[in-house]
Amino acid sequence: MTPSTIGSSSSRRSNYRRSFEFSDNFSETSDYGVGGTMLPIFLNDLHKNNQNEDFVEITLELEDDEIFLHSVTPAPVPPDTSGDDAVSAGFFSRSVSATSKLRRMFSWRKSSSARPSISGRPSTSDIAEDLTISARDIRKMRAKLQRTRSSAQQALKGLRFINKTTGTIDKNELWLQVESRFNSLAMDGLLSRENFGECIGMLDSKEFALGVFDALARRRRQKIERLSKEELYDFWLQISDQSFDARLQLFFDMADSNEDGKITREEVQELIMLSASANKLSKLKERAEEYASLIMEELDPENLGYIELWQLEALLLQRDNYMNYSRPLSTVSVAWSQSRSTVSTKTKNVVRSITCTLRCLILENWQRAWIIIVWILIMASLFAWKFYQYRHRAGFHVMGYCFTTAKGAAETLKFNMALILLPVCRNTLTWLRSTRARLFVPFDENINFHKIIAIAIGFGIVLHAVSHLACDFPRLITCSPQDFALISDEFNGKKPTYKDLLTGVIGVTGIAMIVLMAISFTLATGHFRRNVVRLPAPFNRLTGFNAFWYSHHLFTLVYILLLVHGFFLFFVHNWYQKTTWMYISVPLLLYIAERTLRACRSNYYSVKILKAAELPGNVLSLMMSKPHGFKYKSGQYIFLQCPTISPFEWHPFSITSAPGDDYLTVHIRTVGDWTQELKRVFTEAGGSSSVNGRATFSQQVQKIESKGLQRLLVDGPYGAPAQDYRNYDVLLLVGLGIGATPFISILKDLLNQLRTTEEQTDSNTETSRSEDSLNSYTSSSATPNLKKKSQRTSSAHFYWVTREPGSFEWFKGVMNEVAEMDQRGVIEMHNYLTSVYEEGDARSTLLTMVQALNHAKHGVDILSGTRVRTHFARPNWKEVFTKIASKHPHATVGVFYCGMPVLAKELRKLSYELSHKTSTRFEFHKEYF
């Protein structure tokens, strides 16, 4: 007889598990009146009949003074020392027979329907019902045991009614906020039911809050429409209770509208609709009945038509198991559980922490730093050289240091006016990206460097203009005749007035340049360019991208005036001393050549629209014919011009098609005036509105063609950081909203590479089968060489974070294609929807479970409609980086990001931190288009 095991599952109930021995003499017709005191006698009789040493395991359920049979299973077969298989087989058959006997003997079950009939023997229906309830009770006991192994802290993360910080902020502080809102919302000292959600902080999910209100009201056995402050406080204490049992009971009571302790499918459906409404997921509300059936199928396999509290509890406590269970069905979402090793990111002491921070800063900024340092040194050298040169001129004795300061500032201005053109020579930068110069020059920062130079030009203009207008001009017109005689030759012997200095060629050109550059700089600032500044008509035309674009072309006049201004300088007579043209000639000619190339190429790269579609989230998808000879790399971008809208405006967009495709595609977010007009041209031609979604626009395109509006000009391609993705072993692609566009081309390219590799593998396999063993060996030994010739990238992790569920329609076809082709899990795709409350919030808990169950059963995500499962809220980026480092040790990971600058700082910091704390090297790059 094996030792007994007793485990407590609650204050009133415990499990008694013990193995008993009995023989074949155990009569099926024996009638024991077992129950309370008769149980020891019955067990003792079983123990005496132990001739054949047959074992079964009996699990009993003890509640108060009653004992119920939980389960009877054959015990493991003991080792067969004699080697006689027949003995083992006989042992097993006798154990099974004994199991059936015991099930019929223990007719004193908890359920009255399972009790023996008057004749003393259970009927067939009784036995069937007994077995049904037994299976349910077994799951119930397992759920209770599972609960005892779950930590309370982990459970609290699974069900929150207020917010993530409820457990860390003092209850009194939270109540003060609720009380303040009560005072502003209450009328006559009472808070209405409709304002309950806003009062407790559920302003965006009022329907869900009303469900909470009704559940709490039912506990009072009252129909409450208005609350006093005392009643609200009582409700608040129940909502903010830190006990998982209290939260679970409240969540259960929300669904249990008739208070019978059971939840039917209709009640589950209602709770799903409340959760979908709180998260603004209208599509889920339409399919709430289907998802409610899915929940019932999982929790009510006996088809009794209801679920109880313990079943809902088991579902929530085993959330991680359900989430992990659904992952293997998605070939593009590999479970993190495959790599359990963790990476410690804690520093041992303050010194090491500071050292690591400084090292990260150096490695992160050394390319920018040396460029900026060299640039500053050049400006300082030019300023000092010109300052020293004019320090020994006659003009210094008349105008002093104002004169030398103005000349030094002018020299830096000429240098910067020439340098500012280089960062916008995109063709040159694209070519330089393919050289080794990319290793020490941060070409990704070209626009930022362009802005920094513009700031330096602004400071130079102020220093130069103020030195002239406020200092040396007044000193010149008020100097003594003796001092003026030193420089009279510069002014033909006539002392000028202040008006003469301003109205001369130098004065007019200088003031004109200041005015033009002030206009251009102002309209190029973020507030004006992004249309943040709201001006009354007609001044509202001074804001937006158009104003920025046209005002920037005023620099054509500025450069002409600069050449004139530099030619008529005072105190300089020889042509080789007038160095303005020397500074700007080469950069200006390079820029003119680039613009000429763009104009010629754009006329040659005129494309036709093959398909236009308006997608959810104000996104316009354009499929264009691929121009002959147009070659590009994944991650690059192009400029588009629509002559119908404007013959001068060019706008950059990332290419979303792969280099191997015979067409070009772009996805355009219609947020500006030009993009909105483009959308109108291609989706509302002829007065017909486009259909929102995956619609076809063949009729509209025909109307467009008939009107001659189908023509688009393409300029490019131009280099971007993501085009170098092949230089890395592993890719981490992070896109926010429309920022996913540059990475879709990369995924398609990787997909094409997978398809090519599989075709080569199939070809090699067929060849090896058709040849003899020697040739087969030769073919197999050549396989590593084929792998060596393939691209370096071996794995990619794509994280797409968006706020709108409809965004997943943009690249639904790509995600499904990746899921179908990527059988080896090379590409992992992770979608995150930030508009849904984070996983663990009560408003999204049931949706999370529905999503996991549906993905496990059908392999399809309920939000995106693809095999890529959608997560809620924002990713834990530190956890993401840590797991990638664990999964890919000693690898070089290229981190490519396109989105808001705030997250870029966090990702950049994590890249450099983990590069020095793990064996994995992360290199961060930010996309700008």
Side-chain angles (χ1 to χ4, degrees):
M1 184 176 294
T2 60
S4 62
T5 303
I6 300 177
S8 175
S9 62
S10 66
S11 59
R12 299 181 55 201
R13 184 175 296 183
S14 63
N15 288 340
Y16 182 89
R17 183 172 182 175
R18 189 165 185 173
S19 296
F20 301 97
E21 309 161 6
F22 54 92
S23 67
D24 290 336
N25 295 329
F26 177 66
S27 175
E28 185 175 339
T29 60
S30 300
D31 191 4
Y32 287 87
V34 292
T37 57
M38 293 300 296
L39 179 64
I41 301 175
F42 172 76
L43 297 178
N44 186 52
D45 289 343
L46 288 179
H47 177 56
K48 292 179 180 179
N49 298 313
N50 60 352
Q51 290 88 353
N52 294 318
E53 297 295 320
D54 289 355
F55 291 88
V56 296
E57 290 185 357
I58 303 174
T59 303
L60 304 178
E61 182 178 313
L62 310 180
E63 182 173 2
D64 296 335
D65 58 345
E66 295 180 328
I67 303 176
F68 306 106
L69 175 65
H70 185 278
S71 65
V72 182
T73 58
V77 179
D80 184 10
T81 57
S82 63
D84 189 0
D85 295 338
V87 176
S88 299
F91 171 84
F92 182 76
S93 61
R94 287 193 301 272
S95 297
V96 173
S97 175
T99 300
S100 61
K101 295 175 185 178
L102 281 170
R103 285 192 180 276
R104 287 190 291 270
M105 285 300 304
F106 277 78
S107 56
W108 32 264
R109 298 271 316 153
K110 181 178 181 179
S111 174
S112 58
S113 62
R115 295 187 181 277
S117 60
I118 299 176
S119 62
R121 293 182 179 274
S123 63
T124 304
S125 60
D126 292 336
I127 295 175
E129 179 68 14
D130 179 73
L131 292 178
T132 299
I133 299 178
S134 176
R136 192 179 184 92
D137 287 346
I138 289 173
R139 292 192 298 110
K140 183 175 182 180
M141 296 306 300
R142 287 176 180 173
K144 290 181 178 294
L145 293 175
Q146 181 68 28
R147 174 188 172 91
T148 61
R149 291 193 292 265
S150 302
S151 65
Q153 185 64 27
Q154 185 67 26
L156 284 175
K157 296 179 181 179
L159 198 61
R160 292 185 302 270
F161 277 89
I162 304 301
N163 52 44
K164 191 173 182 178
T165 58
T166 302
T168 57
I169 298 180
D170 183 71
K171 279 188 177 183
N172 296 330
E173 182 178 344
L174 287 173
W175 167 247
L176 291 177
Q177 300 175 12
V178 176
E179 187 178 25
S180 176
R181 289 191 288 265
F182 175 86
N183 295 332
S184 61
L185 296 173
M187 296 182 63
D188 299 329
L190 296 175
L191 178 72
S192 66
R193 177 176 176 269
E194 289 72 20
N195 293 327
F196 177 74
E198 181 179 355
C199 187
I200 65 173
M202 290 188 179
L203 180 61
D204 296 332
S205 48
K206 289 187 176 181
E207 291 185 21
F208 190 87
L210 291 178
V212 176
F213 181 94
D214 294 339
L216 294 174
R218 286 194 295 268
R219 290 182 176 182
R220 289 172 167 258
R221 300 291 192 271
Q222 298 176 359
K223 187 175 181 181
I224 303 174
E225 292 295 333
R226 305 179 73 186
L227 290 176
S228 65
K229 183 180 294 187
E230 292 74 16
E231 292 173 327
L232 176 64
Y233 183 68
D234 179 57
F235 278 21
W236 173 256
L237 290 179
Q238 298 180 63
I239 295 173
S240 60
D241 197 317
Q242 293 300 296
S243 168
F244 176 71
D245 290 325
R247 295 180 179 183
L248 176 67
Q249 187 64 56
L250 178 56
F251 192 71
F252 185 86
D253 291 344
M254 288 181 62
D256 186 18
S257 57
N258 57 2
E259 301 179 84
D260 61 351
K262 301 174 183 179
I263 301 179
T264 62
R265 185 187 60 79
E266 290 74 16
E267 291 172 330
V268 173
Q269 177 180 343
E270 182 65 26
L271 189 56
I272 291 177
M273 294 184 66
L274 283 178
S275 301
S277 176
N279 292 279
K280 299 177 177 60
L281 300 175
S282 57
K283 290 186 177 181
L284 265 65
K285 294 179 67 175
E286 297 172 359
R287 304 183 62 181
E289 183 177 356
E290 173 187 346
Y291 297 141
S293 300
L294 189 64
I295 291 286
M296 296 301 295
E297 179 182 344
E298 174 69 18
L299 299 184
D300 183 29
E302 298 85 7
N303 200 23
L304 298 181
Y306 64 88
I307 59 175
E308 298 176 324
L309 180 65
W310 64 268
Q311 292 166 292
L312 181 63
E313 178 185 20
L315 183 71
L316 298 180
L317 290 180
Q318 298 181 37
R319 181 179 68 92
D320 292 338
N321 294 336
Y322 281 103
M323 299 293 285
N324 291 332
Y325 176 60
S326 68
R327 286 175 180 159
L329 295 183
S330 175
T331 58
V332 293
S333 183
V334 180
W336 286 118
S337 57
Q338 294 177 357
S339 55
R340 293 294 186 181
S341 59
T342 59
V343 180
S344 176
T345 58
K346 295 182 179 179
T347 54
K348 293 182 179 181
N349 49 54
V350 178
V351 176
R352 182 177 177 183
S353 177
I354 296 175
T355 304
C356 181
T357 302
L358 291 175
R359 187 184 304 167
C360 291
L361 289 174
I362 293 173
L363 291 176
E364 177 183 355
N365 299 292
W366 73 270
Q367 288 182 322
R368 303 187 193 93
W370 84 265
I371 293 290
I372 296 296
I373 291 173
V374 170
W375 173 61
I376 292 175
L377 289 177
I378 292 175
M379 287 194 300
S381 300
L382 291 173
F383 185 92
W385 170 61
K386 194 59 65 172
F387 187 94
Y388 177 80
Q389 184 181 6
Y390 279 87
R391 173 68 174 76
H392 297 86
R393 299 283 182 92
F396 177 75
H397 299 284
V398 179
M399 292 174 282
Y401 286 104
C402 297
F403 179 59
T404 56
T405 301
K407 291 299 182 180
E411 203 68 16
T412 63
L413 277 173
K414 290 184 285 186
F415 170 70
N416 285 325
M417 288 295 291
L419 188 63
I420 199 171
L421 294 173
L422 297 181
V424 292
C425 292
R426 294 186 176 89
N427 289 288
T428 303
L429 294 180
T430 301
W431 171 73
L432 289 174
R433 282 179 181 274
S434 61
T435 66
R436 291 188 175 273
R438 71 177 186 275
L439 301 177
F440 51 88
V441 178
F443 294 112
D444 301 346
E445 305 289 338
N446 62 317
I447 299 299
N448 289 334
F449 190 48
H450 179 79
K451 295 177 181 178
I452 292 174
I453 297 173
I455 294 174
I457 290 175
F459 279 109
I461 290 173
V462 172
L463 185 60
H464 179 75
V466 170
S467 297
H468 275 317
L469 299 177
C471 187
D472 54 7
F473 281 8
R475 293 187 65 171
L476 174 62
I477 62 177
T478 59
C479 68
S480 63
Q482 295 81 4
D483 292 336
F484 181 74
L486 298 174
I487 57 174
S488 60
D489 294 341
E490 302 291 336
F491 302 94
N492 298 323
K494 181 182 178 181
K495 189 176 183 179
T497 63
Y498 199 86
K499 181 179 179 181
D500 294 335
L501 295 174
L502 292 181
T503 57
V505 176
I506 296 178
V508 171
T509 55
I511 293 175
M513 284 191 293
I514 292 175
V515 173
L516 292 176
M517 284 194 285
I519 294 174
S520 180
F521 286 177
T522 301
L523 298 184
T525 57
H527 285 76
F528 280 87
R529 181 166 49 87
R530 297 171 183 170
N531 215 7
V532 177
V533 178
R534 299 295 180 180
L535 298 176
F539 299 103
N540 58 344
R541 294 183 175 272
L542 296 177
T543 61
F545 186 84
N546 282 342
F548 155 74
W549 180 258
Y550 289 117
S551 65
H552 243 55
H553 286 77
L554 294 175
F555 274 92
T556 304
L557 296 176
V558 170
Y559 278 98
I560 296 174
L561 293 173
L562 181 60
L563 289 172
V564 175
H565 186 82
F567 184 78
F568 291 95
L569 289 176
F570 294 120
F571 304 100
V572 178
H573 304 285
N574 299 321
W575 67 271
Y576 57 85
Q577 293 178 326
K578 300 176 180 180
T579 57
T580 303
W581 67 274
M582 298 181 184
Y583 278 100
I584 68 174
S585 59
V586 174
L588 190 59
L589 289 174
L590 179 62
Y591 183 74
I592 293 174
E594 286 231 357
R595 293 303 297 264
T596 304
L597 175 63
R598 291 181 61 177
C600 297
R601 186 170 55 186
S602 62
N603 288 324
Y604 179 73
Y605 285 160
S606 178
V607 299
K608 294 182 63 175
I609 302 299
L610 303 178
K611 181 180 178 182
E614 182 185 2
L615 303 178
N618 294 324
V619 171
L620 176 66
S621 173
L622 295 179
M623 177 184 292
M624 302 167 285
S625 60
K626 189 175 183 179
H628 178 71
F630 187 86
K631 298 181 180 180
Y632 63 95
K633 297 179 180 179
S634 294
Q636 292 184 333
Y637 65 95
I638 57 176
F639 277 84
L640 294 181
Q641 182 201 91
C642 183
T644 305
I645 301 175
S646 171
F648 304 106
E649 291 187 53
W650 292 86
H651 296 264
F653 301 101
S654 297
I655 305 174
T656 54
S657 56
D661 297 336
D662 56 357
Y663 55 85
L664 288 177
T665 58
V666 292
H667 289 71
I668 303 171
R669 186 75 179 267
T670 55
V671 292
D673 46 7
W674 187 87
T675 55
Q676 289 176 352
E677 185 66 15
L678 185 72
K679 171 185 172 182
R680 187 193 66 79
V681 167
F682 285 106
T683 62
E684 298 180 4
S688 59
S689 301
S690 60
V691 181
N692 191 23
R694 289 190 169 272
T696 58
F697 295 91
S698 56
Q699 296 179 354
Q700 295 171 6
V701 172
Q702 292 175 0
K703 293 179 180 180
I704 292 171
E705 292 177 353
S706 64
K707 292 189 175 184
L709 303 180
Q710 86 286 5
R711 187 164 171 258
L712 275 183
L713 302 183
V714 176
D715 178 37
Y718 291 108
Q723 74 178 54
D724 300 324
Y725 74 93
R726 293 178 183 268
N727 298 328
Y728 299 95
D729 304 317
V730 180
L731 299 180
L732 175 56
L733 311 175
V734 181
L736 267 61
I738 199 64
T741 51
F743 308 132
I744 295 301
S745 178
I746 294 178
L747 294 178
K748 286 185 176 180
D749 198 21
L750 291 174
L751 189 63
N752 292 337
Q753 180 68 23
L754 286 173
R755 186 180 291 110
T756 303
T757 303
E758 290 185 0
E759 290 176 355
Q760 291 179 351
T761 303
D762 294 340
S763 177
N764 293 336
T765 302
E766 292 177 1
T767 303
S768 63
R769 289 178 178 176
S770 62
E771 296 177 350
D772 55 15
S773 60
L774 179 60
N775 292 333
S776 177
Y777 174 77
T778 304
S779 176
S780 61
S781 63
T783 303
N785 294 331
L786 292 174
K787 293 182 179 180
K788 289 180 180 178
K789 292 180 180 179
S790 63
Q791 64 180 26
R792 177 180 176 182
T793 304
S794 61
S795 181
H797 304 264
F798 176 53
Y799 283 80
W800 187 12
V801 184
T802 182
R803 287 189 55 83
E804 302 174 4
S807 302
F808 298 126
E809 290 287 335
W810 302 347
F811 311 115
K812 183 175 181 179
V814 176
M815 289 188 286
N816 281 328
E817 192 176 1
V818 171
E820 182 180 354
M821 287 294 302
D822 185 20
Q823 300 297 328
R824 293 178 294 176
V826 175
I827 303 174
E828 290 187 13
M829 303 184 70
H830 305 268
N831 296 337
Y832 281 82
L833 187 62
T834 59
S835 61
V836 179
Y837 290 97
E838 62 187 356
E839 296 176 359
D841 193 288
R843 288 162 285 191
S844 63
T845 294
L846 198 58
L847 301 183
T848 303
M849 304 314 304
V850 168
Q851 186 186 52
L853 293 174
N854 189 78
H855 201 283
K857 183 177 181 180
H858 304 293
V860 178
D861 182 72
I862 62 175
L863 295 178
S864 66
T866 68
R867 298 177 66 182
V868 183
R869 198 180 64 210
T870 302
H871 304 273
F872 298 153
R874 293 173 175 82
N876 185 335
W877 293 114
K878 188 173 183 180
E879 181 180 350
V880 169
F881 275 74
T882 302
K883 289 177 178 177
I884 290 179
S886 301
K887 189 174 183 180
H888 304 284
H890 308 290
T892 302
V893 180
V895 182
F896 296 94
Y897 169 75
C898 187
M900 300 300 292
V902 177
L903 181 56
K905 295 180 180 179
E906 179 183 353
L907 298 182
R908 188 188 300 273
K909 181 180 178 181
L910 286 172
S911 297
Y912 287 98
E913 283 183 355
L914 290 180
S915 293
H916 295 281
K917 295 177 182 179
T918 67
S919 61
T920 305
R921 180 185 177 188
F922 293 88
E923 294 186 10
F924 179 82
H925 303 276
K926 185 179 184 301
E927 296 286 323
Y928 293 94
F929 299 101

